[in-house]
């Protein structure tokens, strides 16, 4: 069984700043760290760290072979990562002393994926998952193929736009959002989360934990967050999503999968960086113990 992830691959430039910049401000960073990022790549790494077999579908530019190599080193199958003429995507990430971040994205190759990156989906079927976020093109096309072939589709609605989410609502089995995004979507559609046309709606609430809404059976499961001292929240949502999907894929109960995901995300925020800072399954299990 395989998890197919159609996702972005970015070079993250992470700047430690005394506070998040405001309009018109020039601000000196106190540190700079560069590494692999992108919501897609982060989720692939998290799923691989959690023990899943992961095929990443995405693209880099001619300047991005280092990123594909790093993704592979972290346990992800990159045979479906294309090299395109657009430059590799990148992100300017500012992180303040409380670990909060602010991100500017340059999508680059992530929005220039050729259809051929979806070729691995010809092998997917029941028992497999397709994972999607909002940083690439081809999401709807990928979801349609996966569903026709009987795979389940998990969609992280980030970066959030109501329009992108509306296009995906009828095409996914699970949608994962943070609390702000969930509130925006509820307002835009004029309905409660439990009424969304998606079987499972997962809402992450940072220090307040996470909620799982089973909209088909009108049931909700909530897990608390672990109390940690945040260093860098970048990629925490991706870590949560990756561990959650990998655990469900491996047959864990909903509650166990949520607890694992919550612990993995908590551990991530204690570490600076993005993909390279995502913990391993052994580290998450030790943290939980
Ligand atoms: O979710 C965090 C990620 O968002 C970063 O790695 C950055 O690349 C952006 O995609």
């Amino acid at each position: 069984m395989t998890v197919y992830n159609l996702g972005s691959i970015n070079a993250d430039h992470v700047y430690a700043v005394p506070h998040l910049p405001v309009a018109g401000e020039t601000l000196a960073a106190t540190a700079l760290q560069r590494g692999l990022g992108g919501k897609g790549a982060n989720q692939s790494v998290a799923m691989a760290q959690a023990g899943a077999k992961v095929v990443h579908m995405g693209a880099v530019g001619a300047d991005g072979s280092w990123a594909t190599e790093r993704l592979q080193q972290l346990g992800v199958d990159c045979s479906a990562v294309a090299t395109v003429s657009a430059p590799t995507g990148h992100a300017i990430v500012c992180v303040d002393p409380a670990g909060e971040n602010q991100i500017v994205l340059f999508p680059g190759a992530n929005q220039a994926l050729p259809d051929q990156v979806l070729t691995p989906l010809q092998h997917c079927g029941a028992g497999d998952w397709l994972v999607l976020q909002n940083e690439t093109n081809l999401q709807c096309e990928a979801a349609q193929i996966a569903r026709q072939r009987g795979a389940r589709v998990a969609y992280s609605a980030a970066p959030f736009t109501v329009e992108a989410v509306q296009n995906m609502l009828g095409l996914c089995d699970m949608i994962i959002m943070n609390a702000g995004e969930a509130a925006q979507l509820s307002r835009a559609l004029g309905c409660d989360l439990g009424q969304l046309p998606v079987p499972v709606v997962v809402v992450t609430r940072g220090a307040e934990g996470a909620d799982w809404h089973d909209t088909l059976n009108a049931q909700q499961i909530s897990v608390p967050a672990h109390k940690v001292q945040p260093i860098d929240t970048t990629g925490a949502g991706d870590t949560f999503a990756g561990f959650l999907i990998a655990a469900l894929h491996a047959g864990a109960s909903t509650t166990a999968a949520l607890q694992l995901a919550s612990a993995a995300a908590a551990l991530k925020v204690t570490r600076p960086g993005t993909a390279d800072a995502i913990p391993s399954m052994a580290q998450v299990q030790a943290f939980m113990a």
Side-chain angles (χ1 to χ4, degrees):
M1 288 191 302
T2 303
V3 183
Y4 298 86
N5 183 10
L6 178 73
S8 56
I9 301 172
N10 287 340
D12 277 5
H13 303 259
V14 184
Y15 298 89
V17 288
H19 57 263
L20 298 179
V22 297
E25 182 176 22
T26 300
L27 188 60
T30 54
L32 167 62
Q33 190 179 342
R34 293 192 189 91
L36 177 65
K39 295 185 196 305
N42 297 341
Q43 291 186 18
S44 278
V45 170
M47 292 187 289
Q49 293 285 18
K53 180 180 171 221
V54 186
V55 173
H56 191 96
M57 302 177 294
V60 294
D63 56 342
S65 55
W66 67 270
T68 313
E69 279 160 25
R70 186 70 191 121
L71 202 46
Q72 265 169 193
Q73 283 162 5
L74 290 165
V76 176
D77 179 340
C78 291
S79 50
V81 174
T83 301
V84 297
S85 57
T88 303
H90 73 254
I92 305 294
V93 184
C94 290
V95 180
D96 77 8
E100 277 307 325
N101 66 41
Q102 195 174 63
I103 302 178
V104 176
L105 273 184
F106 175 74
N110 298 312
Q111 287 290 346
L113 304 188
D115 293 349
Q116 82 204 45
V117 301
L118 301 185
T119 303
L121 290 178
Q122 299 308 331
H123 303 290
C124 78
D128 295 329
W129 283 83
L130 168 67
V131 177
L132 305 161
Q133 313 79 32
N134 262 346
E135 289 185 345
T136 69
N137 57 316
L138 296 180
Q139 288 131 312
C140 293
E141 292 86 341
Q144 275 155 358
I145 298 171
R147 283 171 74 99
Q148 274 159 14
R149 300 189 60 85
R152 279 175 290 178
V153 178
Y155 171 54
S156 287
F160 184 85
T161 68
V162 170
E163 191 194 13
V165 176
Q166 275 176 323
N167 290 336
M168 284 298 301
L169 278 181
L171 293 173
C172 56
D173 300 279
M174 178 164 82
I175 182 167
I176 306 171
M177 296 173 283
N178 66 31
E181 294 161 348
Q184 247 182 289
L185 188 61
S186 282
R187 268 197 307 277
L189 301 184
C191 69
D192 290 338
L193 291 179
Q195 296 168 321
L196 287 179
V198 181
V200 172
V201 178
V202 179
V203 180
T204 58
R205 301 188 182 282
E208 267 122 57
D211 303 327
W212 170 290
H213 301 266
D214 174 344
T215 65
L216 300 179
N217 299 300
Q219 284 173 351
Q220 182 178 332
I221 298 173
S222 297
V223 292
H226 294 259
K227 286 197 176 17
V228 290
Q229 187 65 46
I231 301 287
D232 182 355
T233 54
T234 315
D238 300 328
T239 304
F240 181 96
F243 271 78
L244 177 71
I245 295 161
L248 294 171
H249 178 62
S253 70
T254 303
T255 303
L258 286 168
Q259 285 168 340
L260 183 77
S262 171
L267 197 46
K268 160 63 203 69
V269 305
T270 65
R271 301 165 165 203
T274 38
D276 291 298
I278 293 172
S280 66
M281 180 64 114
Q283 289 165 338
V284 176
Q285 284 169 339
F287 175 76
M288 290 174 87

